[in-house]
Amino acid sequence: MYEILAREEFSESTFLLEVQHPLLAKAANPGQFVIVMVRADGERIPLTIADYSVARGTITLVIQAVGKTTRDMQQNCRVGDMLYALVGPMGIPSHIGEVQKVICVGGGLGVAPVFPQARAFKQRGAYVIGVIGFRSKDLIFWEDKFRDVCDELIICTDDGSAGIQGLVTDGVAQAIESHPDIEEVIAIGPPVMMKFCAETTRPHKIKTMVSLNPIMVDGTGMCGGCRVSVGGEIKFCCVDGPDFDGHQVDFDELMRRLDRFKAEEKQSLERWSRATNCRLQDEEPHTPQ
Amino acid sequence: MPPKTMRTICQQRTPMAAQDPKQRIDNFSEVTLGYSLADARNEAERCLMCPQEPCVKGCPVGIDIPGFIQKICDQDYRGAYEVLADATLLPAICGRVCPQEDQCEGACVVTQKLESVGIGRLERFIGDMAIAEGWSSKPDIEPNGYKVAIVGAGPAGIACAADMAKAGCDVTIFEALHRPGGVLTYGIPDFRLPNTVVDAEFEKVLQLGVKVEANTLVGRLFSLAQLRNELGFHAVFIGTGAGYPSFMGIPGEALNGVLSANEFLTRCNLMQAGEFPARDTPLHMGRKVAVIGAGNTAMDAMRVALRLGAEEVYCLYRRTKAESPAREEELEHAKEEGVIFQWLTAPLEILGDADHQVSGLRCIRMELGEPDNSARRRPVAIENSDFEFECNTVIYAIGTNANPIIGQTSKLKLNKRGYIEVDAEQRTSLAGVFAGGDIVTGSATVILAMGAGRSAARSMKRYLGIKEAEEMEVSDPARPRAFGIDTRQQQFTRVRLPGKERAA
């Protein structure tokens, strides 16, 4: 059992949990993920590690409440509560290369997980440009954390209420324009965002690493549910990834495979909503990262 | 009493009652119902007690088979259990899932004329009786101060853990999943091996003082080197299984509705997707299911599919029934339950609809040509024999490759296929690190994995035994400052005896 030591609300749908697990905090590296079960009869969901603190003996998860399990967590995971299962760190750590200049892009649920990578690049001495995207000013979180580790920070909002108005790809394009010597781009977020980040950098031939978020069960290479096509080869995201070359990933296939259980996810969420007397939101449920 | 001979013993093996196929495809209860007391005594009397004991040599864990059968004849069932427990901690499991026809029963002298003695059924009878009566065989254990780590709570790890605990070691099993059992839990379905039996047998391992830490991914949470240097384990056994299911690389494999048997069985057995939405884990299965492969895993997947309401279940195999790796009994059960076998059939392409959902398979008929490297006749495609048929779910059960995690995170020597290299005594290239089971051999059987676990335990005892007492660095078991951090705050998921777990 793994105790929740802190919780923070970022918006109506996004929240942070800090969970005690000293060994995991010690072992975690940028780019890795965990699998969580909220309760014994629950499902196993993969969540990217957003931060970790050896001193506090904790890992931090930033969760977007979109499906049954993540909404259940939003409603019911309080400080002092225990998670039934927490296992990790899973996946191959991100390769933090000796690059001089790097862009770290985070959009939506990818903002938090790109933070450890930005920090790691900074610690390696790189010039780090952060590009983080939100729908509007009210939804911005961790701006100060990003400012601490980024030499430049471009905030993008859909409505222009903060930073530049536009998508993170606009921020990436702007950064590439003002810095012709960018060696690498890290992009984490919804698959469609990562796809278009990769398309933005492709003509410039800038190495672009993405962190994929397919459906998983065990997370240890046993089930193959998370298989993705990279450069025409089958890879298991959980043990061969989750980081892959964005220019090689078949994002359309990934997005189709994320819809595998669309009907069941909807059914599960509706059932849960009825049971908890929650007003059903009109958003489509999908698999949480 | 005159000595028994082939002529005087009962000419037929005592049959075991089974659920009717029509009834059983609607439930997950066990298919075979086990021997009654009278059945067991009848069958035990068929053993000739021959002096050669070929059955014992046929058993990967060396059970004294005539010994326990004699105890049944003597109506000393507890005694029979003690004989079994000397060699195996899990008779109720092995009695069910061992391929006895290739092992003890295949070697039985009675098979020269008649059906062999039903050794597996007798083993199961005693194993079940031990569970029902709450017998356990806890020898007097003298702690020796050695700490042993076992990676993976599957059959190999359980067998190794039990032997090391009996030898007096302080044994901890680390398991990546949230429940112990490995393939016994996530793979083999309840109708063949009920999880209640697995739990009951596992309880005996815990009674030996073995600790099990679930949710612990060795290699990533800590390395093998850290297990030894930081956490103070004197020896390590790796029994992580094979994992990493194979696909064929034919068009259409990324379609929704294509999955590995591992995924299908894990969803159903470990996560109980059959109870969705009461359970959270979903399973999206169509009316018509095609399973590629004809091994025991394929049989399990097909029979689960039938129980979850599939209307038609096809088994596609590119060779014939004779080459199929499944046990005869499994093939028979699958056939009785309505699986449609398509022998000499290979898939060429998985067809999809506009929603990227599987809609069918294009296959080709095969014929057997010259023998290949495996001494089996090589299947050759018959020209222009391809055909299409409708199906909604395609399950791959064509074997697995080595799991890459241990290789990614250690300096262990692996073979070309990524499996761990060991010598005849299960020693790996790293001192004090042993390995066995599927992660060494590739996909095999529960009992072979248990045999490897026991063999590794013997080797491990030798390794620990040759150490001089004064050299032995017996660490403080708490080790509060391992890794340079205060690990007293560390929460593991300690697996407790069933019934003693506090409600979550």
Side-chain angles (χ1 to χ4, degrees):
Chain A
M1 302 293 251
Y2 309 89
E3 188 177 356
I4 297 167
L5 295 189
R7 174 177 166 133
E8 208 179 316
E9 308 304 312
F10 289 153
S11 72
E12 263 180 26
S13 64
T14 310
F15 60 102
L16 172 152
L17 296 180
E18 191 178 352
V19 189
Q20 187 176 52
H21 198 319
L23 278 180
L24 181 47
K26 176 84 180 169
N29 284 293
Q32 292 186 299
F33 65 94
V34 293
I35 288 213
V36 169
M37 282 177 83
V38 182
R39 51 187 96 249
D41 59 358
E43 59 181 338
R44 296 170 64 92
I45 59 164
L47 294 166
T48 306
I49 300 170
D51 202 359
Y52 42 88
S53 163
V54 177
R56 291 173 57 85
T58 58
I59 62 148
T60 299
L61 304 171
V62 175
I63 300 154
Q64 214 171 28
V66 286
K68 187 255 166 179
T69 297
T70 46
R71 291 211 190 183
D72 182 22
M73 289 175 84
Q74 183 187 33
Q75 182 146 333
N76 296 311
C77 287
R78 301 285 155 193
V79 171
D81 288 347
M82 302 280 183
L83 295 176
Y84 174 74
L86 172 66
V87 56
M90 289 163 154
I92 300 173
S94 299
H95 177 67
I96 307 295
E98 300 241 11
V99 292
Q100 301 297 314
K101 204 174 263 188
V102 63
I103 309 180
C104 293
V105 192
L109 45 80
V111 172
V114 85
F115 170 75
Q117 316 221 22
R119 179 173 57 191
F121 275 110
K122 187 68 205 163
Q123 283 165 353
R124 274 227 129 168
Y127 185 92
V128 180
I129 304 164
V131 177
I132 51 177
F134 302 91
R135 281 209 310 277
S136 68
K137 190 179 176 202
D138 311 338
L139 303 177
I140 295 175
F141 62 88
W142 281 14
E143 181 178 348
D144 47 343
K145 283 184 79 152
F146 274 93
R147 293 221 182 266
D148 281 349
V149 301
C150 293
D151 296 280
E152 282 177 45
L153 182 65
I154 303 173
I155 293 176
C156 310
T157 52
D158 294 0
D159 60 2
S161 53
I164 64 168
Q165 179 172 9
L167 302 170
V168 289
T169 42
D170 299 313
V172 172
Q174 183 183 314
I176 293 173
E177 203 169 308
S178 42
H179 297 276
D181 53 346
I182 284 161
E183 290 169 70
E184 187 169 343
V185 172
I186 315 296
I188 308 183
V192 68
M193 182 215 98
M194 293 189 281
K195 175 182 171 174
F196 284 102
C197 280
E199 290 315 313
T200 305
T201 60
R202 195 190 297 273
H204 302 280
K205 297 192 169 62
I206 302 169
K207 178 184 173 190
T208 300
M209 297 303 289
V210 294
S211 174
L212 303 187
N213 58 343
I215 293 169
M216 292 184 186
V217 185
D218 61 291
T220 63
M222 193 184 79
C223 86
C226 66
R227 60 193 193 277
V228 290
S229 294
V230 181
E233 275 182 59
I234 296 178
K235 298 282 182 190
F236 288 7
C237 188
C238 65
V239 290
D240 300 325
D243 288 1
F244 294 101
D245 178 350
H247 295 148
Q248 302 282 321
V249 170
D250 185 339
F251 284 103
D252 295 336
E253 180 190 294
L254 172 66
M255 287 185 269
R256 290 194 296 266
R257 287 183 56 76
L258 281 169
D259 283 344
R260 274 172 81 191
F261 299 106
K262 206 172 180 177
E264 288 82 3
E265 283 161 5
K266 188 160 178 269
Q267 182 190 355
S268 187
L269 180 58
E270 283 171 359
R271 184 176 183 271
W272 178 82
S273 299
R274 272 198 308 277
T276 50
N277 294 320
C278 260
R279 189 171 51 82
L280 185 62
Q281 313 279 308
D282 52 3
E283 295 161 18
E284 284 285 311
H286 55 90
T287 303
Q289 170 158 351
Chain B
M1 199 162 40
K4 289 184 274 190
T5 68
M6 212 73 95
R7 236 173 295 186
T8 61
I9 62 170
C10 180
Q11 301 294 291
Q12 269 94 40
R13 183 194 281 215
T14 313
M16 179 161 57
Q19 276 198 76
D20 181 77
K22 285 196 186 68
Q23 184 188 17
R24 73 186 188 228
I25 60 165
D26 291 327
N27 66 57
F28 273 83
S29 304
E30 223 178 341
V31 167
T32 55
L33 302 174
Y35 273 167
S36 67
L37 200 66
D39 291 337
R41 286 179 57 195
N42 280 340
E43 190 58 23
E45 289 297 341
R46 294 182 71 232
C47 177
L48 297 177
M49 299 294 157
C50 62
Q52 311 90 310
E53 303 184 344
C55 52
V56 180
K57 295 180 196 83
C59 174
V61 296
I63 293 173
D64 174 9
I65 292 166
F68 94 83
I69 294 181
Q70 182 63 56
K71 296 280 185 191
I72 298 176
C73 295
D74 300 344
Q75 299 183 52
D76 175 9
Y77 306 111
R78 176 79 203 233
Y81 173 69
E82 297 295 338
V83 174
L84 282 172
D86 275 346
T88 171
L89 213 60
L90 315 171
I93 294 174
C94 298
R96 285 172 169 83
V97 301
C98 274
Q100 290 102 4
E101 62 278 14
D102 300 327
Q103 297 174 357
C104 53
E105 293 178 9
C108 174
V109 293
V110 177
T111 51
Q112 290 165 13
K113 294 255 168 62
L114 308 168
E115 258 192 305
S116 76
V117 177
I119 299 167
R121 295 169 178 194
L122 292 171
E123 182 186 17
R124 170 179 166 178
F125 169 78
I126 295 296
D128 285 351
M129 187 180 262
I131 292 172
E133 299 290 329
W135 295 336
S136 66
S137 168
K138 194 185 172 195
D140 291 331
I141 294 174
E142 184 81 18
N144 60 19
Y146 286 113
K147 284 177 70 181
V148 169
I150 309 280
V151 186
I158 292 171
C160 186
D163 280 1
M164 296 313 289
K166 284 181 191 167
C169 298
D170 176 2
V171 181
T172 305
I173 306 182
F174 295 101
E175 166 59 46
L177 291 175
H178 56 281
R179 280 188 63 178
V183 72
L184 305 172
T185 304
Y186 75 75
I188 302 176
D190 264 27
F191 55 81
R192 206 149 74 76
L193 176 64
N195 273 347
T196 50
V197 172
V198 178
D199 288 346
E201 297 274 59
F202 201 76
E203 188 177 336
K204 294 184 205 151
V205 181
L206 300 183
Q207 282 168 353
L208 293 173
V210 172
K211 286 165 278 189
V212 183
E213 308 287 9
N215 300 315
T216 306
L217 183 59
V218 174
R220 292 279 173 215
L221 188 61
F222 36 75
S223 65
L224 289 178
Q226 286 172 325
L227 260 181
R228 304 208 62 206
N229 304 331
E230 293 277 352
L231 293 170
F233 286 96
H234 301 97
V236 180
F237 173 76
I238 304 170
T240 51
Y244 212 95
S246 300
F247 290 85
M248 294 172 74
I250 60 173
E253 281 177 358
L255 289 166
N256 292 340
V258 182
L259 69 170
S260 73
N262 270 9
E263 180 177 359
F264 181 76
L265 292 171
T266 302
R267 284 181 181 275
C268 298
N269 298 337
L270 180 70
M271 306 308 295
Q272 285 149 324
E275 292 172 39
F276 177 88
R279 293 286 186 140
D280 284 343
T281 303
L283 175 77
H284 189 96
M285 190 185 72
R287 290 185 307 113
K288 295 186 180 184
V289 177
V291 176
I292 302 169
N296 290 321
T297 306
M299 301 305 134
D300 285 345
M302 292 185 290
R303 298 172 65 196
V304 168
L306 283 165
R307 281 163 177 75
L308 292 178
E311 289 166 20
E312 286 173 28
V313 176
Y314 295 88
C315 175
L316 310 183
Y317 187 55
R318 61 199 183 116
R319 304 175 198 253
T320 70
K321 185 179 173 189
E323 289 84 20
S324 134
R327 292 181 66 194
E328 184 64 39
E329 184 186 334
E330 302 306 321
L331 284 163
E332 210 43 54
H333 281 151
K335 195 175 158 209
E336 284 170 10
E337 292 172 12
V339 167
I340 304 158
F341 286 93
Q342 299 276 318
W343 305 112
L344 291 166
T345 303
L348 295 176
E349 181 183 2
I350 305 167
L351 310 170
D353 62 19
D355 294 330
H356 306 284
Q357 183 69 39
V358 171
S359 61
L361 263 173
R362 192 161 68 80
C363 298
I364 192 159
R365 298 292 184 197
M366 314 293 281
E367 59 190 350
L368 291 183
E370 296 301 306
D372 64 11
N373 294 339
S374 69
R376 295 183 299 184
R377 291 176 64 195
R378 185 194 303 273
V380 184
I382 301 171
E383 261 184 71
N384 300 321
S385 68
D386 55 314
F387 65 100
E388 289 179 8
F389 74 98
E390 185 200 331
C391 66
N392 325 96
T393 299
V394 174
I395 298 171
Y396 276 73
I398 54 171
T400 56
N401 297 308
N403 187 299
I405 294 177
I406 288 283
Q408 286 167 351
T409 58
S410 76
K411 295 194 172 76
L412 274 180
K413 194 170 174 209
L414 308 179
N415 69 18
K416 275 186 211 138
R417 296 168 57 218
Y419 294 103
I420 298 174
E421 268 198 16
V422 297
D423 64 12
E425 295 180 21
Q426 310 293 137
R427 290 181 294 209
T428 69
S429 61
L430 300 178
V433 179
F434 303 77
D438 284 6
I439 192 60
V440 168
T441 58
S443 304
T445 61
V446 168
I447 191 66
L448 284 174
M450 289 182 59
R454 297 203 77 202
S455 155
R458 282 190 293 275
S459 181
M460 200 183 258
K461 282 182 235 171
R462 275 195 296 276
Y463 168 79
L464 294 171
I466 52 166
K467 237 177 168 184
E468 298 296 331
E470 54 268 26
E471 279 175 31
M472 212 175 95
E473 185 201 326
V474 178
S475 56
D476 167 10
R479 275 274 179 143
R481 297 284 317 163
F483 292 96
I485 58 172
D486 190 344
T487 52
R488 280 171 304 190
Q489 296 301 311
Q490 180 64 43
Q491 304 276 333
F492 283 106
T493 309
R494 178 67 57 83
V495 174
R496 307 207 178 271
L497 296 176
K500 292 188 185 161
E501 195 173 359
R502 277 178 40 216

